[in-house]
Amino acid sequence: MADDNKLKQELLYMASITSKYDFTKMEVVEGILRLENERRILDSVFGRRFKTRIFDIAAGVKIDDTCVLCGQPADNRVICNHCMETILGSEYAKNKIKTKQKKRFSLPKIDFSKFKLPEIKLPKIVLPKSVGKPEEKQVEGFSAKKILQYATIICLTLILFIQTWLVSIALTLPDYNPVVEAKVSVNEPVAVSDVDTAKAQLEKDFPADQGYTITFAREDTDYVGRFLIDKGDCCVEIEEQLTDEERYDYFFTEPVFIFYISNIEEFSARVGMAEVNQAGSILVMGSFNDGRRTDSFYKYR
């Protein structure tokens, strides 16, 4: 059932962005693929076809213009109209839209029946007995000072209601960017020689039985000098302080294995990237490490 829901999520995601974006623009496709590298949503065979197709369109590569899902001709060169209507008109898609709308517009309710306004007594007006002499009218209990007091009480009460309502809204808002300390692994570095041994080192800190998924991305040789920083330090901030000559000396080439890490739950997800060098040192980037700057690498091991 989980795999079925994952596939439905992928299909809805592909149909949604196909209906919104122009894939002939390379900056649009690069943005989608960059987001995909972070979230790892499109893992099925259809998702891989979709990523290849939109990149080929943006790059001007000649393609067969067939649907990546069913193989029939597609006017938009990605997904045919039949598949688009089937996916976007499905019960799964409708339920997703309803859920988003409900979450977007739901506000905390305040029971105003629990609050009582102060009682206000109207002034008594006594008419004179002799009609025709209006200058002799007398008004009992009438005072401009009292009216000002009543108006002040009403205004202060309304302000209190508004402040209470705003506070209740603020308390229900989640903290999207918590400030946390950069984590440091308790495991010691172990030399690695290939992708499998590098992945085994990551699995010590991000085990599969806790919901983590580790996916190999590529082997690279750029910016390996950042492994020289101390544990817990942010290499981006250190690199920004270097001169051009110091930065040239700071970086050197050595094979590095790069992985994507994800932990997707029902209502939340955490994604990150890890780099493992031959000595077994690890750098991580993402919400696994520091919520303050998710675009910064930190020495992890």
Side-chain angles (χ1 to χ4, degrees):
M1 182 58 111
D3 294 338
D4 185 45
N5 287 334
K6 179 64 170 60
L7 181 57
K8 291 179 180 179
Q9 181 186 12
E10 282 194 39
L11 295 176
L12 179 58
Y13 177 68
M14 288 188 290
S16 298
I17 62 178
T18 300
S19 64
K20 294 179 181 178
Y21 297 105
D22 180 7
F23 298 136
T24 60
K25 298 180 179 179
M26 180 59 77
E27 61 269 19
V28 173
V29 174
E30 288 179 348
I32 294 173
L33 295 179
R34 190 181 305 112
L35 184 63
E36 165 61 17
N37 287 335
E38 296 176 358
R39 297 185 178 179
R40 307 296 296 176
I41 298 176
L42 303 174
D43 290 330
S44 68
V45 63
F46 301 112
R48 292 192 292 271
R49 290 179 190 171
F50 178 81
K51 289 187 287 187
T52 302
R53 176 65 58 82
I54 65 175
F55 184 81
D56 289 344
I57 293 175
V61 178
K62 185 177 180 180
I63 58 176
D64 56 6
D65 293 346
T66 58
C67 178
V68 297
L69 302 180
C70 67
Q72 296 298 319
D75 295 336
N76 56 24
R77 309 176 71 188
V78 182
I79 301 176
C80 66
N81 293 334
H82 175 71
C83 290
M84 289 281 288
E85 293 174 357
T86 302
I87 295 171
L88 297 177
S90 64
E91 290 297 327
Y92 178 82
K94 294 177 181 178
N95 291 335
K96 282 290 183 182
I97 294 174
K98 289 181 180 178
T99 302
K100 289 182 179 180
Q101 291 177 344
K102 184 177 180 181
K103 290 182 178 180
R104 183 182 302 172
F105 296 105
S106 59
L107 292 174
K109 297 181 179 179
I110 301 177
D111 186 4
F112 290 98
S113 62
K114 296 181 179 180
F115 300 93
K116 294 184 178 180
L117 291 173
E119 295 182 358
I120 301 176
K121 295 182 179 180
L122 296 176
K124 297 180 179 179
I125 299 176
V126 180
L127 294 176
K129 295 181 179 179
S130 57
V131 181
K133 295 182 179 181
E135 66 278 6
E136 296 180 359
K137 287 193 302 183
Q138 297 180 358
V139 180
E140 296 181 359
F142 180 86
S143 171
K145 183 178 180 181
K146 287 186 177 181
I147 293 177
L148 181 60
Q149 290 176 347
Y150 292 143
T152 303
I153 292 174
I154 294 174
C155 291
L156 292 176
T157 304
L158 292 176
I159 292 174
L160 178 61
F161 286 159
I162 295 173
Q163 289 178 337
T164 304
W165 179 64
L166 293 177
V167 170
S168 63
I169 293 178
L171 293 177
T172 58
L173 294 177
D175 190 356
Y176 289 104
N177 193 24
V179 177
V180 296
E181 293 295 330
K183 296 192 299 183
V184 177
S185 172
V186 297
N187 297 299
E188 293 297 327
V190 177
V192 300
S193 57
D194 52 31
V195 174
D196 294 333
T197 55
K199 185 177 181 180
Q201 292 301 308
L202 280 178
E203 290 175 342
K204 293 181 180 180
D205 297 296
F206 306 101
D209 57 5
Q210 295 183 12
Y212 293 101
T213 300
I214 300 176
T215 305
F216 174 69
R218 66 185 185 276
E219 183 177 342
D220 207 343
T221 56
D222 293 333
Y223 305 111
V224 186
R226 56 182 159 215
F227 283 100
L228 300 175
I229 65 176
D230 295 330
K231 290 183 179 180
D233 287 343
C234 172
C235 65
V236 176
E237 296 174 354
I238 293 178
E239 293 169 8
E240 291 174 350
Q241 300 173 0
L242 301 177
T243 64
D244 292 339
E245 293 78 9
E246 290 173 338
R247 187 175 291 105
Y248 178 81
D249 296 334
Y250 183 73
F251 297 133
F252 57 91
T253 58
E254 175 187 339
V256 174
F257 303 101
I258 300 177
F259 297 86
Y260 291 111
I261 309 175
S262 62
N263 190 331
I264 301 176
E265 300 175 357
E266 185 176 0
F267 298 106
S268 64
R270 291 176 290 172
V271 294
M273 187 169 68
E275 298 181 359
V276 185
N277 69 351
Q278 289 184 326
S281 296
I282 297 175
L283 292 174
V284 298
M285 178 182 73
S287 58
F288 299 109
N289 191 59
D290 192 325
R292 294 170 295 178
R293 289 189 62 183
T294 57
D295 62 337
S296 299
F297 287 83
Y298 290 81
K299 186 69 171 292
Y300 194 72
R301 184 190 303 171

